[in-house]
Amino acid sequence: KQQRQLLGEAFTSSERMVHLIGDFLNVSRLQTGKFMVDRHQIDLAKMVAQEVEGMRQIALTHELTIDYKRPQRFPILYLDESKLRQVVMNFIDNAIYYSPESATITVRLSVSEGFALLEVKDKGMGVPREAQDHLFTKFFRAENARKQRPDGTGIGLFLSKKIIDSHSGQIVFSSTLGKGSTFGFRLPIKKLSLPPVQPAEEPSTEEPKTTP
């Protein structure tokens, strides 16, 4: 049992490192203009369930519970799966590290007014009002967050907003200092139910070959 626990912690730590490296690579791509979204049909409800399950071990080490409210039916959307996974993981990861012990983190996916709505709610420290306008800028971290988690990078929320923007979506955020925060996103169902338009091929400039 002890070996299984230690191996589980090592696995979740390595998974988090993989996601962290992915974040830095995507920030680099943004800076060089090589950030691209590759949308394919995915089951967002299933993907969120997988990310929640992958974060449960980290939550348990902090004596936290994750409650995922999965919808019975949910539309299949054209999304960049790997990038959306990073967004969901970032939101849950933050909720874990900024929540008090024995708290419950609620992850809810629903359809609201034509949008796919994801919300990750915690009962943690919250974000000071003066810091909220800067929260999704690169490398910014609120003062209370720096004290709670000195090893944070300040790119997770910045990158999450860029990814949601690239899907024509909107970031969801609200917070009360000392009472908790809600992070999430809205994605337009009608637009993302259609496959992405493929760029037209440029006509060939080669002259046709002739046979003698």
Side-chain angles (χ1 to χ4, degrees):
K1 182 178 179 181
Q2 185 180 19
Q3 288 177 330
R4 182 178 294 276
Q5 180 181 352
L6 291 172
L7 286 171
E9 291 175 2
F11 175 76
T12 52
S13 294
S14 64
E15 284 289 286
R16 184 173 181 275
M17 184 61 69
V18 168
H19 285 295
L20 187 61
I21 293 169
D23 282 349
F24 277 112
L25 285 173
N26 279 321
V27 169
S28 176
R29 293 182 184 115
L30 279 168
Q31 292 176 326
T32 58
K34 296 180 179 179
F35 182 82
M36 298 182 67
V37 172
D38 186 19
R39 295 198 291 125
H40 297 279
Q41 280 188 316
I42 71 164
D43 183 342
L44 184 60
K46 181 179 179 180
M47 187 210 80
V48 173
Q50 292 170 344
E51 286 302 302
V52 167
E53 199 58 37
M55 299 297 289
R56 285 195 194 279
Q57 184 60 45
I58 297 177
L60 286 173
T61 61
H62 291 261
E63 300 183 16
L64 299 169
T65 302
I66 303 178
D67 178 24
Y68 175 37
K69 299 185 182 299
R70 180 174 179 172
Q72 292 184 345
R73 294 182 179 180
F74 202 80
I76 300 298
L77 303 175
Y78 284 86
L79 307 170
D80 188 318
E81 182 173 357
S82 64
K83 290 184 176 62
L84 261 295
R85 282 186 182 275
Q86 284 181 281
V87 174
V88 175
M89 190 279 294
N90 279 329
F91 289 160
I92 299 175
D93 188 62
N94 283 343
I96 289 172
Y97 280 90
Y98 298 125
S99 291
E101 290 184 356
S102 303
T104 297
I105 296 164
T106 303
V107 180
R108 184 173 184 266
L109 183 65
S110 61
V111 173
S112 175
E113 300 179 347
F115 288 85
L117 174 63
L118 177 83
E119 296 172 294
V120 179
K121 297 184 178 183
D122 66 62
K123 297 177 182 177
M125 64 173 64
V127 181
R129 184 175 295 276
E130 64 272 14
Q132 293 184 11
D133 290 341
H134 308 284
L135 199 58
F136 293 91
T137 56
K138 186 166 57 175
F139 300 130
F140 177 82
R141 301 188 70 217
E143 185 177 353
N144 60 344
R146 291 198 302 269
K147 291 179 180 178
Q148 175 75 9
R149 191 180 186 185
D151 64 336
T153 61
I155 63 169
L157 294 179
F158 164 77
L159 187 60
S160 294
K161 187 177 187 307
K162 294 293 184 182
I163 292 171
I164 297 305
D165 287 348
S166 69
H167 284 78
S168 302
Q170 303 163 342
I171 285 290
V172 171
F173 167 68
S174 63
S175 185
T176 302
L177 190 63
K179 294 185 178 180
S181 303
T182 297
F183 287 90
F185 55 73
R186 290 188 184 91
L187 297 175
I189 292 175
K190 185 176 180 180
K191 183 172 184 176
L192 296 177
S193 295
L194 301 174
V197 178
Q198 299 297 328
E201 293 186 5
E202 295 183 4
S204 174
T205 56
E206 293 183 4
E207 294 184 4
K209 295 181 179 180
T210 57
T211 55

